[in-house]
Amino acid sequence: PSLATCLVAERVPPYGGDTLFASMERAYEGLSDTLKGWLDSAVAVHSASRAYDPKVTGEAKYNGDAAITYTYSDAIHAEATHPVVRTHPVTGRKSLYVNQMFTQHIVGLESDESDAMLAFLFEHCAKPAFGCRFRWEAGAVALWDNRSVQHYALDDYREFERLLYRVTISGDRPV
């Protein structure tokens, strides 16, 4: 997983296209001590297949009919296990390390149990109290730590162009 991401805006729509950020440290802190205790030792399987498999998402992003165009690779089906709660290597703070795009299931739980727990965690992470909304302007720069922050780009500007440049910094294995 990447350490950090930087986006720089060149062209932005007259409205829409904001990015939502959520602190996974705050989300972790917002859980009960009992649930934190259980999640602290939980492990989940992550894969890009749900987010990038054209059989799941459709062909639009692979044939140029979407805002972002991708090139298909079988690598999207690779799986990795990561802790559900990771410890930041610099601050030592704990944060949730699950997301709707990549987290497939929690190891050791039955499918329905894992689905229910992940649905709860995904909803919990999206609470407004843990996040903020970034409104883009031309020339704006956003830099965030992927080890403890999630982001979501709002797709509400389809009739306008939005051009951002992205740099992603390699990271380390979550612990």
Side-chain angles (χ1 to χ4, degrees), residues 55-69:
K55 293 179 206 142
V56 176
T57 63
E59 298 284 337
K61 62 178 109 180
Y62 293 99
N63 61 20
D65 294 332
I68 298 175
T69 302

Side-chain angles (χ1 to χ4, degrees), residues 15-30:
Y15 60 85
D18 297 348
T19 300
L20 305 177
F21 291 95
S23 168
M24 295 299 97
E25 290 177 356
R26 298 274 316 271
Y28 176 78
E29 293 164 3

Side-chain angles (χ1 to χ4, degrees), residues 64-83:
D65 294 332
I68 298 175
T69 302
Y70 297 99
T71 301
Y72 180 81
S73 166
D74 283 332
I76 65 168
H77 299 291
E79 293 184 343
T81 57
H82 298 302

Side-chain angles (χ1 to χ4, degrees), residues 94-154:
K94 292 183 176 184
S95 62
L96 288 175
Y97 198 68
V98 297
N99 66 73
Q100 285 183 290
M101 195 168 193
F102 296 106
T103 309
Q104 304 293 312
H105 65 272
I106 298 174
V107 175
L109 294 182
E110 295 296 326
S111 180
D112 58 340
E113 295 170 329
S114 175
D115 291 349
M117 178 58 72
L118 288 174
F120 167 79
L121 292 173
F122 298 154
E123 185 176 333
H124 176 75
C125 291
K127 290 181 178 176
F130 307 140
C132 69
R133 184 176 185 140
F134 188 81
R135 296 186 192 270
W136 288 99
E137 298 176 2
V141 176
L143 174 67
W144 65 93
D145 187 334
N146 287 309
R147 298 168 296 184
S148 57
V149 173
Q150 288 187 25
H151 75 288
Y152 179 78
L154 295 173

